Amino acid sequence: MMKIRLMTAFVAFRQACCLAVMLGFVILLPTLAQAVEDPLPSWNDTGAKKAILTFVARVTAAGSPDFVPADQRIAAFDNDGTLWVEQPLYVQLFFALDRVKQLAPQHPEWKSQEPFASLLRGDVKAALAGGEPAIEQIVVTTHTGMTTEDFDRIVRGWIAKAKNPKTGHLYTEMVYQPMLELLAYLRASGFKTFIVSGGGIEFMRPWTERVFGIPPEQVIGSSVKTVFEMRDAIPTLRRLPEINFIDDKSGKPVGIQQYIGRRPIAAFGNSDGDLEMLQWTTAGQGVRLALIVHHTDAVREWAYDRNSSIGRLDKALDEARVKGWTILDMKHDWKIIYPFEKR
Amino acid sequence: MMKIRLMTAFVAFRQACCLAVMLGFVILLPTLAQAVEDPLPSWNDTGAKKAILTFVARVTAAGSPDFVPADQRIAAFDNDGTLWVEQPLYVQLFFALDRVKQLAPQHPEWKSQEPFASLLRGDVKAALAGGEPAIEQIVVTTHTGMTTEDFDRIVRGWIAKAKNPKTGHLYTEMVYQPMLELLAYLRASGFKTFIVSGGGIEFMRPWTERVFGIPPEQVIGSSVKTVFEMRDAIPTLRRLPEINFIDDKSGKPVGIQQYIGRRPIAAFGNSDGDLEMLQWTTAGQGVRLALIVHHTDAVREWAYDRNSSIGRLDKALDEARVKGWTILDMKHDWKIIYPFEKR
């Protein structure tokens, strides 16, 4: 009797075991299915997608001569025109223009002072005729003086509501769905993804984690100086009206070294401002991926390159062709452009 | 016959299942054992250890009012005197002195030029009598002019062999075993660990990942300016003889904002150079941990605080007492100091 009970108990135990293993399979199956799913569903099966898949396969295959340890899988992405729309003007410039309007009542002198006078008359073109010094003046005036926490709050408030004047969509909706997939695919393949943008670092950090999955500490950009001060015994950081660093052109490799401290193995850009970053990335030892987003889709997005004042792509396009970098043709290589097209 | 075969197959399958589950347990068991193991075995069960364990439990307990999402669990560590020994002189200063000797044949003028003349006579005290300007001159002269890659190679070569003159141990062996355990424990608890040091960022990055498990992109320190240049069509970054940023005192919160972009919830230091970082960290909303390593062990390490020229701890000690920050007493709170004591 005792023996029978023991055997019954043993059979019950084995059945429990089977159940456990079967449950294991049920849990595992979706994971296996995901593994064979296309990681880049919004990309057509053209050259750009193939170049990305081949590159990732080579650097992640253990035992391959091209294998790169996960901690060295650094990928650098430009932001404006590479991860989100930069037309008809850089988003940060729209932010600055809105700030000018908001601050104007406290600055009566702006009515007769350029570039503010033109801006307040609604003539953006005339305001920006002053070139980079005019832009720097607008940015410094509208982006500094407050604490870092106040600036964070101002950006969050603005980006939650501001919309692209041409499409009426929130700026954070006008990000590129194929690039969101690429970011996720690289991270799933052990990469650490960084933004390396000419834009303001503190203008991007409040929303990059939510929109791109890139946390503040992996955002590199241009910055103003800040100073630590006690205000009523409360420690604060105040933003000073002085440029600290311009993360553009030859500043991009400098910013990469300063913030990351090692060379990316993959870099993604769309303009001449990204040329030095792509040069620096591809000059490293081993397999590298350099990709340029070429804006070729006048219908779904914008078509521009050599003659554009925003995101001019001229020298970098020539160099990409000479060096065999991947040139992404937005019109032909992407099935959809924006996440809202999926709906 | 067929039925018997089927049943035999079924029994075999169930046995295989059992084996699989049992193997699962064998693999799981050590993990379960680790979970109940002491994460800080080199710490005595005194106040400092209790403060750390309590803090981590509070911020990681889901549903707790003090819960902090993993992406916001930022911990900042000073390096010299907090993670490794800073006596009898900062390690980087020993590096600079060795570089002066090495470069001296190319600089005959140093024989009559301070602070180099004193250094070359072996009189470090006289050389450093010039204070910070003298130190800056030594550092700039010995740390700049080369490319970032060459400097990386120089540091790696030196740190692999250089030894503390008092103990004869490699500098990288004179790290604090209890702090290695703390770093690992915080990371296992979802924290991202950063170094925030007054030392040179590029002096630390070549070895912090190997020694502390902290990758280059999580190292913040003082820096010189660099410039991007083409040398024979090869992109390089050259280190210029000009200070870019001093990551000390009020520079620490500035560096934290610049590099991390959000406020740490825990900070660890040992000197007045860390005061502003601890103020900035504890001024944030929610539970915070501020810890000061007090060097109280003249036998196993060094005992120094208010009157030390290296790592002076005076104002920060007073403020720690007033504000109830955790003051770690090295002599009483740590069972062992160095990893080699475990052997």
Side-chain angles (χ1 to χ4, degrees):
Chain A
M1 185 66 183
M2 188 61 185
K3 205 178 166 187
I4 290 169
R5 274 200 196 147
L6 264 177
M7 280 190 65
T8 314
F10 183 55
V11 168
F13 175 62
R14 286 203 298 195
Q15 282 169 338
C17 293
C18 284
L19 193 66
V21 170
M22 280 155 67
L23 272 173
F25 272 111
V26 171
I27 293 164
L28 262 176
L29 274 177
T31 316
L32 291 170
Q34 271 176 349
V36 296
E37 255 177 29
D38 183 355
L40 302 174
S42 300
W43 295 64
N44 285 315
D45 290 324
T46 44
K49 179 172 180 173
K50 280 178 194 156
I52 292 166
L53 295 175
T54 305
F55 167 76
V56 172
R58 287 175 73 178
V59 298
T60 57
S64 141
D66 300 324
F67 178 77
V68 175
D71 69 319
Q72 289 162 42
R73 291 181 207 152
I74 304 288
F77 287 82
D78 169 56
N79 182 37
D80 297 308
T82 299
L83 293 179
W84 76 350
V85 167
E86 63 184 349
Q87 297 287 0
L89 273 183
Y90 297 122
V91 178
Q92 193 175 356
L93 215 42
F94 282 118
F95 168 73
L97 302 186
D98 281 354
R99 291 273 302 154
V100 167
K101 285 177 209 156
Q102 204 178 17
L103 296 172
Q106 299 155 46
H107 294 274
E109 76 280 10
W110 285 356
K111 278 179 194 155
S112 58
Q113 188 185 315
E114 290 298 345
F116 303 103
S118 295
L119 279 185
L120 293 173
R121 280 197 313 272
D123 191 347
V124 175
K125 207 174 167 186
L128 302 186
E132 299 225 338
I135 293 178
E136 194 177 310
Q137 199 185 348
I138 294 167
V139 170
V140 163
T141 307
T142 56
H143 285 55
T144 65
M146 68 293 278
T147 67
T148 51
E149 293 194 312
D150 284 342
F151 187 69
D152 177 278
R153 214 170 295 127
I154 292 166
V155 172
R156 280 177 203 272
W158 185 84
I159 201 86
K161 294 179 187 167
K163 291 174 178 170
N164 187 296
K166 197 182 156 190
T167 68
H169 280 284
L170 289 176
Y171 291 114
T172 50
E173 291 174 336
M174 298 199 61
V175 298
Y176 304 130
Q177 172 63 24
M179 296 308 266
L180 297 183
E181 293 166 8
L182 177 57
L183 287 167
Y185 171 53
L186 289 176
R187 288 193 289 260
S189 305
F191 280 76
K192 217 166 179 175
T193 52
F194 287 81
I195 286 176
V196 181
S197 167
I201 191 166
E202 301 299 1
F203 176 72
M204 297 182 280
R205 282 171 161 169
W207 50 268
T208 54
E209 190 161 26
R210 171 172 61 84
V211 176
F212 298 131
I214 297 180
E217 64 270 24
Q218 285 162 225
V219 176
I220 305 169
S222 299
S223 55
V224 295
K225 287 194 189 295
T226 61
V227 65
F228 179 85
E229 293 172 339
M230 284 290 177
R231 282 191 189 181
D232 305 327
I234 295 169
T236 58
L237 288 170
R238 186 163 53 89
R239 293 169 58 80
L240 302 179
E242 188 185 342
I243 298 292
N244 176 56
F245 177 59
I246 298 291
D247 190 51
D248 198 27
K249 300 188 176 80
S250 65
K252 289 206 174 191
V254 170
I256 286 170
Q257 182 62 30
Q258 187 174 318
Y259 282 81
I260 310 178
R262 46 185 161 197
R263 200 190 296 244
I265 63 167
F268 305 85
N270 76 299
S271 78
D272 284 358
D274 302 311
L275 177 58
E276 288 85 349
M277 174 171 76
L278 297 167
Q279 289 172 333
W280 177 243
T281 299
T282 52
Q285 298 250 311
V287 186
R288 304 279 154 158
L289 177 65
L291 184 147
I292 285 183
V293 177
H294 192 187
H295 292 264
T296 50
D297 196 328
V299 176
R300 298 184 300 170
E301 208 244 3
W302 276 260
Y304 58 99
D305 49 28
R306 297 188 196 272
N307 299 316
S308 177
S309 61
I310 300 280
R312 180 192 308 269
L313 175 64
D314 182 30
K315 283 183 196 171
L317 189 58
D318 292 337
E319 188 149 337
R321 285 176 180 155
V322 169
K323 295 200 172 158
W325 296 343
T326 300
I327 301 170
L328 180 142
D329 181 330
M330 199 180 262
K331 187 173 176 180
H332 293 105
D333 292 336
W334 284 355
K335 288 181 192 168
I336 62 172
I337 309 285
Y338 309 109
F340 53 77
E341 295 177 64
K342 286 200 299 179
R343 285 168 207 156
Chain B
M1 184 65 185
M2 190 59 186
K3 206 178 166 188
I4 290 170
R5 272 201 197 146
L6 267 175
M7 281 190 64
T8 312
F10 184 54
V11 168
F13 173 62
R14 287 203 299 195
Q15 282 171 338
C17 293
C18 285
L19 192 65
V21 170
M22 282 156 67
L23 272 173
F25 271 111
V26 171
I27 292 162
L28 264 177
L29 273 177
T31 315
L32 292 171
Q34 270 175 352
V36 295
E37 255 178 29
D38 182 354
L40 303 173
S42 301
W43 295 64
N44 284 314
D45 290 324
T46 45
K49 179 172 179 173
K50 280 177 194 156
I52 293 166
L53 295 176
T54 303
F55 167 77
V56 172
R58 288 175 71 179
V59 299
T60 57
S64 141
D66 301 324
F67 178 76
V68 176
D71 68 319
Q72 289 163 39
R73 290 181 206 153
I74 303 288
F77 287 83
D78 169 57
N79 183 37
D80 298 307
T82 298
L83 294 179
W84 76 349
V85 167
E86 62 183 351
Q87 298 285 0
L89 273 184
Y90 297 121
V91 178
Q92 193 176 356
L93 215 42
F94 281 118
F95 167 73
L97 302 186
D98 281 354
R99 291 272 303 153
V100 168
K101 285 177 209 156
Q102 204 178 17
L103 296 172
Q106 299 154 45
H107 294 273
E109 75 279 11
W110 284 356
K111 278 180 193 154
S112 58
Q113 187 187 316
E114 289 300 342
F116 305 102
S118 295
L119 278 184
L120 293 172
R121 279 196 315 271
D123 191 345
V124 175
K125 207 175 166 185
L128 301 186
E132 298 225 340
I135 291 178
E136 193 177 310
Q137 198 184 348
I138 294 166
V139 169
V140 163
T141 307
T142 55
H143 285 55
T144 65
M146 69 293 279
T147 67
T148 51
E149 294 194 311
D150 284 342
F151 187 69
D152 177 278
R153 213 169 295 128
I154 291 166
V155 172
R156 280 177 203 272
W158 185 83
I159 203 83
K161 292 180 188 166
K163 291 174 177 171
N164 187 295
K166 198 183 156 190
T167 69
H169 281 285
L170 289 175
Y171 290 114
T172 50
E173 291 174 335
M174 298 199 62
V175 297
Y176 304 130
Q177 173 62 26
M179 296 307 267
L180 298 183
E181 294 167 8
L182 177 56
L183 286 167
Y185 171 54
L186 289 175
R187 289 193 290 258
S189 304
F191 281 76
K192 217 165 178 176
T193 52
F194 288 82
I195 286 176
V196 181
S197 167
I201 193 166
E202 302 298 2
F203 176 72
M204 297 182 281
R205 282 171 160 169
W207 50 267
T208 53
E209 192 161 26
R210 172 173 60 85
V211 175
F212 298 132
I214 297 179
E217 63 270 24
Q218 286 164 225
V219 176
I220 303 168
S222 300
S223 55
V224 295
K225 286 196 188 296
T226 60
V227 64
F228 178 84
E229 292 173 339
M230 285 291 179
R231 282 193 189 177
D232 305 326
I234 296 170
T236 57
L237 288 170
R238 186 162 53 91
R239 293 169 59 80
L240 302 179
E242 187 185 343
I243 298 293
N244 176 56
F245 178 60
I246 298 292
D247 190 52
D248 199 27
K249 300 187 178 77
S250 65
K252 289 205 174 191
V254 170
I256 286 170
Q257 183 61 29
Q258 187 174 318
Y259 282 81
I260 309 178
R262 48 186 159 196
R263 201 191 295 245
I265 63 168
F268 306 84
N270 77 298
S271 78
D272 284 358
D274 302 310
L275 177 57
E276 287 85 350
M277 172 171 77
L278 296 168
Q279 289 171 334
W280 177 244
T281 299
T282 53
Q285 299 249 312
V287 186
R288 306 277 155 160
L289 178 65
L291 184 147
I292 285 182
V293 176
H294 192 186
H295 292 265
T296 50
D297 196 328
V299 176
R300 298 185 300 171
E301 208 246 2
W302 275 261
Y304 59 99
D305 48 29
R306 297 186 195 273
N307 300 314
S308 178
S309 62
I310 300 279
R312 181 192 309 267
L313 175 64
D314 183 29
K315 284 182 195 171
L317 190 58
D318 292 337
E319 189 151 335
R321 284 175 182 155
V322 170
K323 295 200 172 157
W325 297 343
T326 301
I327 301 170
L328 179 143
D329 181 329
M330 199 180 262
K331 188 172 175 180
H332 293 104
D333 292 336
W334 284 355
K335 287 182 192 165
I336 62 172
I337 309 284
Y338 310 109
F340 53 76
E341 294 176 66
K342 288 200 300 181
R343 282 169 209 154

Short mmCIF file of all heavy atoms in Angstrom, two decimals, chain A residues 8 19 24 30 33-34 39 48 81 91 93 112-113 151 160 165 200 202 219 234 243 258 272 275 294 309 316 338:
data_model
loop_
_atom_site.label_atom_id
_atom_site.label_comp_id
_atom_site.label_asym_id
_atom_site.label_seq_id
_atom_site.Cartn_x
_atom_site.Cartn_y
_atom_site.Cartn_z
N THR A 8 2.23 6.46 -6.78
CA THR A 8 1.24 7.44 -7.23
C THR A 8 1.80 8.86 -7.07
O THR A 8 1.72 9.71 -7.96
CB THR A 8 -0.06 7.32 -6.40
OG1 THR A 8 -0.41 5.95 -6.30
CG2 THR A 8 -1.18 8.10 -7.04
N LEU A 19 4.08 19.37 -16.82
CA LEU A 19 3.30 20.58 -16.90
C LEU A 19 4.23 21.80 -16.86
O LEU A 19 4.10 22.74 -17.64
CB LEU A 19 2.29 20.63 -15.74
CG LEU A 19 1.20 21.68 -15.88
CD1 LEU A 19 0.30 21.34 -17.07
CD2 LEU A 19 0.36 21.76 -14.60
N GLY A 24 6.70 26.10 -19.67
CA GLY A 24 7.95 26.76 -20.10
C GLY A 24 7.92 27.02 -21.59
O GLY A 24 8.24 28.11 -22.06
N PRO A 30 6.47 32.64 -27.80
CA PRO A 30 6.40 33.97 -28.41
C PRO A 30 7.77 34.59 -28.60
O PRO A 30 8.03 35.30 -29.57
CB PRO A 30 5.57 34.77 -27.39
CG PRO A 30 4.88 33.76 -26.55
CD PRO A 30 5.75 32.54 -26.54
N ALA A 33 9.25 33.21 -31.65
CA ALA A 33 8.59 33.78 -32.82
C ALA A 33 9.12 35.18 -33.10
O ALA A 33 9.41 35.53 -34.24
CB ALA A 33 7.08 33.84 -32.58
N GLN A 34 9.31 35.97 -32.01
CA GLN A 34 9.84 37.33 -32.17
C GLN A 34 11.20 37.32 -32.83
O GLN A 34 11.52 38.16 -33.64
CB GLN A 34 9.96 38.01 -30.81
CG GLN A 34 8.69 38.74 -30.40
CD GLN A 34 8.80 39.33 -29.02
OE1 GLN A 34 9.73 39.02 -28.30
NE2 GLN A 34 7.84 40.15 -28.66
N PRO A 39 12.98 42.69 -37.77
CA PRO A 39 13.18 43.75 -36.78
C PRO A 39 12.96 45.15 -37.38
O PRO A 39 12.87 46.12 -36.63
CB PRO A 39 14.64 43.56 -36.36
CG PRO A 39 15.30 42.93 -37.53
CD PRO A 39 14.25 42.07 -38.20
N ALA A 48 19.83 49.71 -48.05
CA ALA A 48 20.08 50.29 -46.72
C ALA A 48 19.76 49.27 -45.64
O ALA A 48 20.55 49.05 -44.71
CB ALA A 48 19.23 51.55 -46.54
N GLY A 81 16.61 65.84 -38.63
CA GLY A 81 16.71 65.32 -39.99
C GLY A 81 17.15 63.87 -40.05
O GLY A 81 17.15 63.27 -41.13
N VAL A 91 13.22 72.37 -35.06
CA VAL A 91 12.19 72.46 -34.01
C VAL A 91 12.64 73.43 -32.91
O VAL A 91 11.84 74.23 -32.41
CB VAL A 91 11.90 71.07 -33.41
CG1 VAL A 91 10.88 71.18 -32.29
CG2 VAL A 91 11.40 70.11 -34.50
N LEU A 93 14.34 76.01 -33.13
CA LEU A 93 14.20 77.40 -33.57
C LEU A 93 12.74 77.85 -33.38
O LEU A 93 12.49 78.98 -32.95
CB LEU A 93 14.65 77.51 -35.02
CG LEU A 93 15.36 78.81 -35.44
CD1 LEU A 93 16.35 79.29 -34.41
CD2 LEU A 93 16.05 78.61 -36.79
N SER A 112 12.71 97.52 -31.65
CA SER A 112 13.58 98.21 -32.60
C SER A 112 14.97 97.57 -32.67
O SER A 112 15.93 98.19 -33.08
CB SER A 112 13.72 99.69 -32.18
OG SER A 112 14.24 99.74 -30.87
N GLN A 113 15.04 96.32 -32.20
CA GLN A 113 16.36 95.69 -32.14
C GLN A 113 16.33 94.35 -32.88
O GLN A 113 15.53 93.47 -32.57
CB GLN A 113 16.70 95.47 -30.65
CG GLN A 113 18.10 94.99 -30.35
CD GLN A 113 18.28 94.69 -28.87
OE1 GLN A 113 17.85 95.47 -27.99
NE2 GLN A 113 18.87 93.56 -28.56
N PHE A 151 14.29 75.48 -16.87
CA PHE A 151 14.38 75.30 -18.32
C PHE A 151 13.77 73.96 -18.72
O PHE A 151 13.03 73.87 -19.71
CB PHE A 151 15.84 75.39 -18.79
CG PHE A 151 15.97 75.38 -20.29
CD1 PHE A 151 15.54 76.46 -21.05
CD2 PHE A 151 16.51 74.28 -20.96
CE1 PHE A 151 15.64 76.45 -22.43
CE2 PHE A 151 16.61 74.27 -22.34
CZ PHE A 151 16.18 75.35 -23.08
N ALA A 160 5.00 69.40 -25.24
CA ALA A 160 3.76 68.63 -25.07
C ALA A 160 2.66 69.14 -25.99
O ALA A 160 1.71 68.42 -26.29
CB ALA A 160 3.31 68.69 -23.61
N PRO A 165 4.04 73.54 -38.15
CA PRO A 165 3.09 74.45 -38.81
C PRO A 165 2.60 73.91 -40.15
O PRO A 165 1.53 74.30 -40.61
CB PRO A 165 3.89 75.73 -38.99
CG PRO A 165 5.32 75.32 -38.94
CD PRO A 165 5.38 74.14 -38.02
N GLY A 200 20.47 71.82 -28.84
CA GLY A 200 20.77 72.03 -27.43
C GLY A 200 20.55 70.77 -26.61
O GLY A 200 19.49 70.16 -26.69
N GLU A 202 20.03 70.37 -23.46
CA GLU A 202 18.94 70.45 -22.47
C GLU A 202 17.59 70.68 -23.14
O GLU A 202 16.55 70.60 -22.48
CB GLU A 202 19.22 71.54 -21.44
CG GLU A 202 20.52 71.36 -20.65
CD GLU A 202 20.59 70.09 -19.82
OE1 GLU A 202 19.65 69.28 -19.84
OE2 GLU A 202 21.63 69.91 -19.17
N VAL A 219 22.54 61.55 -24.28
CA VAL A 219 22.27 62.64 -25.21
C VAL A 219 23.45 63.61 -25.17
O VAL A 219 23.84 64.10 -24.12
CB VAL A 219 20.98 63.40 -24.83
CG1 VAL A 219 20.76 64.59 -25.76
CG2 VAL A 219 19.78 62.46 -24.88
N ILE A 234 19.26 76.92 -1.05
CA ILE A 234 18.91 75.79 -1.94
C ILE A 234 19.89 75.75 -3.10
O ILE A 234 20.06 76.76 -3.80
CB ILE A 234 17.45 75.93 -2.46
CG1 ILE A 234 16.47 75.84 -1.30
CG2 ILE A 234 17.15 74.86 -3.51
CD1 ILE A 234 15.06 76.23 -1.66
N ILE A 243 28.02 80.51 -24.53
CA ILE A 243 28.12 79.18 -25.16
C ILE A 243 29.21 78.37 -24.47
O ILE A 243 30.31 78.86 -24.23
CB ILE A 243 28.45 79.32 -26.67
CG1 ILE A 243 27.33 80.08 -27.40
CG2 ILE A 243 28.68 77.95 -27.31
CD1 ILE A 243 26.01 79.35 -27.50
N GLN A 258 34.42 63.48 -25.56
CA GLN A 258 34.21 64.09 -24.25
C GLN A 258 33.15 63.33 -23.45
O GLN A 258 33.33 63.08 -22.26
CB GLN A 258 33.76 65.53 -24.49
CG GLN A 258 33.64 66.37 -23.25
CD GLN A 258 33.33 67.83 -23.62
OE1 GLN A 258 33.91 68.37 -24.56
NE2 GLN A 258 32.43 68.44 -22.90
N ASP A 272 25.87 67.84 -43.82
CA ASP A 272 27.31 68.11 -43.73
C ASP A 272 27.76 68.29 -42.28
O ASP A 272 28.93 68.11 -41.97
CB ASP A 272 27.66 69.35 -44.55
CG ASP A 272 27.68 69.06 -46.04
OD1 ASP A 272 27.45 67.88 -46.42
OD2 ASP A 272 27.91 69.99 -46.83
N LEU A 275 29.42 65.12 -41.12
CA LEU A 275 30.53 64.55 -41.89
C LEU A 275 31.68 64.08 -40.99
O LEU A 275 32.14 62.94 -41.09
CB LEU A 275 31.04 65.58 -42.92
CG LEU A 275 32.25 65.16 -43.75
CD1 LEU A 275 31.97 63.87 -44.52
CD2 LEU A 275 32.65 66.27 -44.73
N HIS A 294 19.09 60.45 -46.80
CA HIS A 294 18.94 61.40 -47.89
C HIS A 294 17.46 61.72 -48.03
O HIS A 294 16.65 60.83 -48.28
CB HIS A 294 19.51 60.79 -49.18
CG HIS A 294 19.66 61.77 -50.30
ND1 HIS A 294 20.01 61.40 -51.57
CD2 HIS A 294 19.53 63.12 -50.34
CE1 HIS A 294 20.07 62.47 -52.35
NE2 HIS A 294 19.79 63.53 -51.62
N SER A 309 19.16 75.44 -46.80
CA SER A 309 19.83 76.16 -45.71
C SER A 309 19.70 75.36 -44.42
O SER A 309 20.54 75.44 -43.53
CB SER A 309 19.23 77.56 -45.54
OG SER A 309 17.86 77.45 -45.22
N ALA A 316 29.15 65.82 -47.58
CA ALA A 316 29.00 64.50 -46.98
C ALA A 316 28.39 63.51 -47.98
O ALA A 316 28.70 62.32 -47.94
CB ALA A 316 28.12 64.58 -45.72
N TYR A 338 6.19 58.11 -40.65
CA TYR A 338 5.84 58.50 -39.28
C TYR A 338 5.08 57.38 -38.56
O TYR A 338 4.36 56.60 -39.19
CB TYR A 338 4.96 59.75 -39.32
CG TYR A 338 5.52 60.87 -40.16
CD1 TYR A 338 4.94 61.22 -41.38
CD2 TYR A 338 6.67 61.55 -39.75
CE1 TYR A 338 5.47 62.23 -42.17
CE2 TYR A 338 7.20 62.56 -40.54
CZ TYR A 338 6.60 62.91 -41.75
OH TYR A 338 7.14 63.90 -42.52
#
